[in-house]
């Protein structure tokens, strides 16, 4: 895989037409030279040191205070906005103040796209003026307009050293028409928001697991307190098939196969990684949470730093357990990068320490 020189790594998503509204021809959904150009532009921008602590902790503290010392919090939205905030700061600079609006419209676009992908059985259905097709087009237009507004402000108010600027400069160097420049920037902004959202889902699952495994929550807290010594953590503290045939690996199955991980494959046991990935499973290359090869996740380091900072801050400031409201319902979201999300969200009972 790493010695492969082809630029065609196939994105054979079923319902690609339906996905166009959500992902366009940005990095997640493109191939060949166009993908390579985008990857070259985006890769240097996803710096670990751009992670900043958000207002999430203050929000939780005030909710807990208002609810008399212990609060029942549905954490999904909080984690989603935290991840969005990090992506926004890391990639779109200080003036990306519309990030919340863009995020919520993208989420709505994702939901209608998901429905369309699931029901795209009849050829041409995507073109009919059905209620969901109209909604999809409306959200697509709104997201595009919001992003282009930010681009306009950037062009009027000057240069900033961030991904948005790099995308604008990269599109200009490529000698694209005005329309193509706009499409290039819009598609890639949407893709980065989509891809970056994965961290929010991962943080949600991580807190759910720590909430239902108190012993591990205590161990993680003790480690975070030991490493951070009462300070806010920073990044240093925490880091041949026939042509045209595409193979999709169901990574969840790979990551829970007892033949690979041993008889306790389904148990939440972070201890298995005490001696690294090679100590945890038979073949280290079978562990691929961020993908593998030339299309490996570009935000891997950013996401890992972001999660370590977030989780160590949360465990040192709060203790938490699963709320009786929580219903376990993992749901597959095939739209962007195949995430398994908590279908009913995650409800936690949170107390300030
Ligand atoms: C815990 C969080 C995350 C997980 C588990 C994750 C996982 C993945 C996976 C599995 C892929 C597909 C790899 C493949 O096709 O082989 C991917 C692609 C990608 N991810 Fe992430 N990701 C996360 C966070 C992020 C963040 C925070 C960003 C940036 C802000 C990001 C940017 C990207 C990009 C740009 C791609 C497309 C790379 C390409 O096609 O060349 N990801 N990610």
């Amino acid at each position: 895989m790493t010695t492969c020189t082809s630029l065609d790594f196939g994105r054979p998503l079923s319902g690609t037409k339906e996905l166009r509204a959500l992902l366009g021809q940005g990095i997640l959904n493109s191939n060949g030279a166009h993908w390579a150009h985008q990857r070259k532009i985006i890769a240097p921008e996803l710096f670990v040191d751009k992670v900043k602590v958000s207002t999430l902790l203050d929000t939780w503290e005030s909710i807990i205070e208002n609810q008399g010392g212990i609060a029942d919090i549905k954490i999904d939205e909080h984690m989603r906005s935290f991840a969005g905030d990090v992506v926004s700061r890391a990639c779109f600079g200080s003036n990306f103040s519309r990030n919340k609006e863009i995020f919520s419209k993208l989420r709505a676009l994702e939901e209608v796209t998901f429905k369309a992908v699931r029901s795209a059985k009849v050829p041409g259905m995507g073109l009919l003026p059905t209620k969901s097709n109209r909604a999809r087009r409306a959200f697509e237009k709104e997201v595009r307009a919001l992003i282009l507004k930010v681009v306009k402000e950037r062009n009027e108010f000057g240069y900033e050293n961030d991904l948005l600027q790099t995308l604008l400069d990269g599109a200009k160097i490529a000698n694209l028409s005005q329309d193509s420049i706009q499409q290039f920037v819009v598609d890639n902004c949407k893709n980065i928001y989509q891809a970056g959202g994965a961290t929010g889902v991962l943080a949600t699952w991580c807190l759910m697991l720590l909430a239902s495994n108190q012993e591990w929550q205590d161990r993680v807290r003790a480690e975070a307190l030991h490493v951070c010594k009462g300070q806010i953590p920073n990044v240093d503290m925490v880091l041949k098939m026939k042509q045209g045939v595409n193979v999709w690996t169901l990574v969840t199955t790979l990551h829970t196969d007892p033949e690979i991980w041993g008889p306790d494959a389904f148990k939440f046991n972070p201890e298995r990684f005490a001696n690294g990935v090679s100590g945890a499973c038979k073949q280290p290359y079978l562990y691929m949470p961020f993908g593998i090869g030339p299309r490996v996740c570009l935000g891997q380091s950013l996401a890992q730093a972001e999660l370590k900072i977030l989780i160590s801050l949360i465990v040192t400031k709060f203790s938490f357990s699963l709320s009786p409201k929580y219903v376990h319902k993992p749901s597959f979201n095939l739209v962007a990068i195949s995430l398994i999300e908590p279908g009913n969200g995650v409800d936690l009972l949170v107390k300030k320490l």
Side-chain angles (χ1 to χ4, degrees):
M1 181 84 92
T2 44
T3 53
C4 169
T5 51
S6 164
L7 293 178
D8 273 313
F9 305 111
R11 277 291 184 262
L13 303 178
S14 57
T16 293
K17 275 190 201 119
E18 284 72 22
L19 283 172
R20 210 159 283 155
L22 183 67
L23 302 173
Q25 282 300 301
I27 185 168
L28 290 176
N29 205 28
S30 58
N31 275 311
H34 188 52
W35 162 75
H37 176 60
Q38 295 174 96
R39 192 160 169 113
K40 200 169 152 197
I41 291 176
I42 294 170
E45 288 303 318
L46 299 175
F47 288 135
V48 170
D49 63 355
K50 290 190 177 176
V51 176
K52 297 245 167 31
V53 182
S54 80
T55 51
L56 179 120
L57 305 176
D58 296 340
T59 311
W60 279 21
E61 279 182 11
S62 84
I63 298 177
I64 293 167
E65 208 177 297
N66 290 340
Q67 294 190 20
I70 181 156
D72 198 327
I73 306 179
K74 193 173 262 308
I75 63 169
D76 312 61
E77 205 48 57
H78 297 258
M79 295 302 132
R80 225 174 269 140
S81 5
F82 169 78
D85 210 53
V86 171
V87 171
S88 188
R89 283 169 207 265
C91 305
F92 302 105
S94 51
N95 68 339
F96 212 96
S97 52
R98 281 186 192 82
N99 80 79
K100 273 210 166 79
E101 208 181 344
I102 293 176
F103 241 115
S104 75
K105 298 277 183 218
L106 261 180
R107 180 83 188 155
L109 177 58
E110 187 182 287
E111 273 161 25
V112 286
T113 307
F114 190 31
K115 279 191 200 142
V117 170
R118 273 195 309 195
S119 61
K121 300 212 168 53
V122 184
M125 262 309 266
L127 302 169
L128 296 177
T130 57
K131 197 174 159 198
S132 68
N133 285 340
R134 284 202 309 272
R136 198 168 75 241
R137 273 176 222 125
F139 284 129
E140 187 188 0
K141 264 191 180 166
E142 284 182 65
V143 171
R144 182 184 165 85
L146 283 166
I147 294 174
L148 289 179
K149 224 173 189 174
V150 175
V151 171
K152 189 165 174 265
E153 280 168 19
R154 174 61 58 90
N155 285 334
E156 280 167 10
F157 299 115
Y159 190 90
E160 262 189 68
N161 189 13
D162 60 11
L163 178 65
L164 178 62
Q165 194 67 50
T166 315
L167 284 174
L168 286 168
D169 296 346
K172 281 176 198 152
I173 292 166
N175 248 341
L176 300 172
S177 68
Q178 192 55 30
D179 269 3
S180 308
I181 290 182
Q182 289 190 345
Q183 201 54 49
F184 180 86
V185 174
V186 167
D187 287 351
N188 278 295
C189 286
K190 288 200 294 195
N191 279 212
I192 294 295
Y193 268 109
Q194 283 295 128
T199 323
V201 176
L202 204 113
T204 306
W205 281 126
C206 184
L207 290 173
M208 186 286 271
L209 286 166
L210 290 177
S212 38
N213 292 273
Q214 286 296 326
E215 187 211 325
W216 273 104
Q217 191 183 130
D218 294 341
R219 284 178 71 169
V220 174
R221 181 172 297 118
E223 187 179 346
L225 286 168
H226 174 73
V227 174
C228 307
K229 302 192 169 59
Q231 295 166 358
I232 291 179
N234 59 34
V235 176
D236 293 334
M237 287 172 179
V238 287
L239 279 157
K240 201 179 168 176
M241 302 284 308
K242 240 165 65 193
Q243 206 174 3
V245 175
N246 289 287
V247 182
W248 273 59
T249 309
L250 196 53
V251 176
T252 316
T253 315
L254 202 61
H255 287 177
T256 46
D257 185 344
E259 297 249 327
I260 300 169
W261 299 89
D264 71 341
F266 282 94
K267 198 174 167 220
F268 177 65
N269 176 20
E271 191 85 62
R272 71 176 87 242
F273 291 102
N275 297 316
V277 178
S278 47
C281 64
K282 277 193 183 153
Q283 303 290 349
Y285 61 82
L286 296 173
Y287 181 60
M288 51 177 86
F290 292 94
I292 197 165
R295 290 202 80 138
V296 71
C297 175
L298 272 181
Q300 178 168 356
S301 310
L302 178 69
Q304 284 175 332
E306 189 183 335
L307 284 167
K308 284 178 189 171
I309 292 173
L310 175 74
I311 301 295
S312 32
L313 275 171
I314 289 180
V315 292
T316 48
K317 293 208 170 244
F318 309 100
S319 74
F320 44 92
S321 56
L322 271 188
S323 156
K325 282 191 206 158
Y326 176 70
V327 179
H328 192 58
K329 189 185 169 217
S331 309
F332 203 37
N333 177 348
L334 234 180
V335 172
I337 46 171
S338 308
L339 290 173
I340 295 178
E341 299 185 329
N344 287 326
V346 171
D347 305 88
L348 297 184
L349 293 176
V350 188
K351 247 190 334 190
K352 199 167 178 308
L353 286 172

